[in-house]
Amino acid sequence: MTENAQQQPTAPSTELPTQYAPADVEGTLYERWVERGYFAADAKSDKPAYTIVIPPPNVTGSLHLGHAFQHTLMDALTRRKRMQGYESLWLPGMDHAGIATQNKVEQQLAEEGKSRQDLGREEFVERVWQWKEEYGGKILGQMRRLGDGVDWDRERFTMDEGLSKAVQTIFKKLYDDELIYRAERIINWCPRCLTAISDIEVEYQEDDGELVSIKYGEGDETLVVATTRAETMLGDTAVAVHPDDERYRHLVGKRIKLPLTDRTIPVVADPHVDPEFGTGAVKVTPAHDPNDFAIGQRHGLESITVMDERAVITVHGPFEGLDRFEARSAIVAALRSQGRIVAEKRPYVHSVGHCSRCKTTIEPRLSMQWWVKVGPLAKAAGDAVRDGRVKIHPEDMSKRYFDWVDNMHDWCISRQLWWGHRIPVWYGPKGEIVCVGPDEEPPAGEGWRQDTDVLDTWFSSGLWPFSTLGWPEQTADLRKFYPTDVLLTGHDIIFFWVARMMMFGLYAMDGEVPFRTIALTGLVRDERGKKMSKSFGNVVDPLDWMDKYGSDAVRFTLARGANPGTDVPIGEEWVQASRNFANKIWNATRFALMNGATVEGPLPDPAEMSATDRWILSRLNETVAEVDAFYDDFQFAKLSDSLFHFAWDEVFDWYVELSKTTFQAGGRGAEVSQRVLGEVLDVTLKLLHPVVPFVTDTLWTTLTGGESVVIADWPSDSGFRDEAAEREIGSLQSVITEVRRFRADQGLQPGQRVPARLTLDGTALAPHEAAIRQLLRLQPEGDAFAATATLPVAGATVALDLSGTIDVAAERKRLAKDLAAAEKEKAQATAKLGNEAFLAKAPDNVVDKIRGRLAKADEDIARIQAQLDRLPQA
């Protein structure tokens, strides 16, 4: 890569097209950046390292607004650090996405009339690899469209050879340290995906169900239990009551008849039961409910599985072979015919878990699975944040993190899939169990077989910060770029991913944290703050907006909404506004080039500069300092807003306009301003570059003749401040703003010229008369000048002759009518707010609305009266 200090500007070109066309620039420019190696990080460099690893998108995925949002922020961070002289690595890659990818290929097979069982495991996995090569990774090309400055030479995939070795290594290490074990527990089972899924992959939603109350037992020995899952009663092995519940004390220890079966089940006393809820008695189905499983463990109850992996009933003749929902209806009907239904409630709205992948209702199921013993790992993950080795930003998100790691249950890591990292455990013919590391030979011989399950996708992505850098090998990349600096991700995956990486990073890397800062973002929502969803019809494809408005416009819009930890509303009109901003930057730079703006040579001495020049340089340095502070605090919205208002309001709307008179006058003043304008644009384009990279690089290279702003030096605050110049230009702005407002109030057209007398003597505004007249379209007063309106502002006086421009009598009549209407509105609002009876009955929102009307009326009266006062007498 070309070193920043070696860039030698060539003679800048003054040629820019009249309009900016993103489509003509972005693709070619991005490929040029990649070809020149700007994003390639060097592990042998003496520069300090700055590292971000990309949250790996699913191989099945495509770029959505959430990706575009987070990628924009990560790109901005790494681009800035690169310009600051860091060896900046943003490492890309993809996740193999076990369930999602297997589902894709199974759907493809179904269209051919086949299943994965028809192919067999080996051929099916080969088919998935083929699918990945042909269809997977579409998002990588879309990342290029967005402008992601990632090191493509280091691209990783969670199923590649190196990462697979890392997975096997850490599994073996955890197993040997007795932090991985195999046990039969209740898990979340998806009857569609035919696999266990973790708690955090279950989505809960309010479903319409039914609540039925069923009478168990006979005669005096009866209990009533309520359930939303009547089909599970076939697996009941007890009824539980609270130990202190006097109603049932006589039944504890006895056995009662389980309806529809030939079994009797015990009544047990357990403190888990809430005696105030329902009847105070609960059915216990240890094989199909996690709480019931715990009760069963405490009381030594049998666990009877009544459904197979597809949630089909497997016991009790009449219901055997029925789907769980069919069985539910049949069992309730059978109980009703026996008079055992005491009460029924339909619909009964309650929270039901669904598979986050396929939306099938989850079935709790007793199953033999592999687990990580998270206790010591989670404690280390909590301690790293508590002792300050890892900072969570914003800090108030720490509570959510601690709520998770401090209360984490053991993690079920096995999945009944074929696509993924296969569990490296072999079972022998005599019950032997052998865990095999990556450099070990698996046991051979008759009767040995490998575990058929694969690992949870989050197991491999939990290694991402160090496996992508070559671990378990002690590579140069690992030494240079670990720990990473920032993990930037959505607050919604603290549980999925962040905690996993913290646990594994600290464990595998001998207590060294995987990242120093966790910067949490909100989620992207539509312009009304509503969650984006296909069912709502408000999902936006960012590529469509990029096609219409350019990638810079999409990026800037997202960055302007990025307040730490809070959700980001976005609408198309905001992207249009950002496109207009890019056009404004373009047009201002064209103006500068056509007027001789230059970056050659040092800045002139401030003594040679006009107040306007000194003012803009003072504001420029304040902006540099402000932007740096916002970057360091991950305040992307504030830094973007600061840059927007500095560039548009101060540089383009004020400095450029004020410079026009200087350039027209020529001479040394024009030369000084040409150099100042070049400096201001040079620095402004650099400051904007990390967020809007395409337009800024195009303009910066044209302005400066430099190789690329990507590898330019980040601006630093020179310390130059000129408060006097800022006050002087502030007064000038006040004059121009006030007179413009007055002209607009009088209905004058922006280009309409008006005779005026300016009294500026004795004020700091005296040198600015030419600029004031030009910007306000004010003619010299002439012999027939008659002041019909006088405006004192900022110590100066602007007298205007409006006699030939407006009908004063008609204008007074119009304003008098508006004033009367405002006064009537005030009187009505005042009367209502003075009516105690009204205030006692009216809702708060109605009263607030009337108070707002009163405040608005007061503002209107003051404004209209001021306009009348300024008009000459008719």
Side-chain angles (χ1 to χ4, degrees), residues 639-695:
L639 74 88
S640 299
D641 214 46
S642 175
L643 284 169
F644 174 85
H645 288 295
F646 173 71
W648 191 307
D649 299 345
E650 298 185 280
V651 178
F652 307 150
D653 277 359
W654 283 109
Y655 184 70
V656 165
E657 290 301 315
L658 290 170
S659 298
K660 288 178 179 178
T661 53
T662 306
F663 293 144
Q664 289 169 1
R668 179 56 182 163
E671 293 176 359
V672 170
S673 290
Q674 287 168 339
R675 180 64 188 89
V676 170
L677 179 55
E679 180 75 11
V680 170
L681 285 176
D682 175 17
V683 172
T684 301
L685 291 170
K686 288 175 180 175
L687 292 174
L688 284 165
H689 172 72
V691 180
V692 284
F694 293 106
V695 68

Side-chain angles (χ1 to χ4, degrees), residues 756-776:
R757 176 184 297 145
L758 305 184
T759 306
L760 308 176
D761 294 342
T763 74
L765 297 172
H768 301 287
E769 179 168 353
I772 292 171
R773 287 190 177 278
Q774 180 166 318
L775 292 176
L776 291 173

Side-chain angles (χ1 to χ4, degrees), residues 712-724:
D713 290 326
W714 182 254
S716 59
D717 176 7
S718 71
F720 176 79
R721 300 289 190 279
D722 193 323
E723 294 181 4

Side-chain angles (χ1 to χ4, degrees), residues 700-767:
W700 187 85
T701 52
T702 305
L703 173 72
T704 68
E707 183 182 333
S708 174
V709 72
V710 177
I711 53 171
D713 290 326
W714 182 254
S716 59
D717 176 7
S718 71
F720 176 79
R721 300 289 190 279
D722 193 323
E723 294 181 4
E726 291 197 37
R727 286 193 299 273
E728 181 175 328
I729 301 305
S731 297
L732 174 61
Q733 291 171 326
S734 296
V735 169
I736 293 171
T737 301
E738 186 65 23
V739 176
R740 279 176 173 167
R741 184 181 297 119
F742 176 76
R743 287 176 57 111
D745 288 343
Q746 305 311 316
L748 297 177
Q749 295 299 313
Q752 191 171 351
R753 305 194 72 82
V754 177
R757 176 184 297 145
L758 305 184
T759 306
L760 308 176
D761 294 342
T763 74
L765 297 172

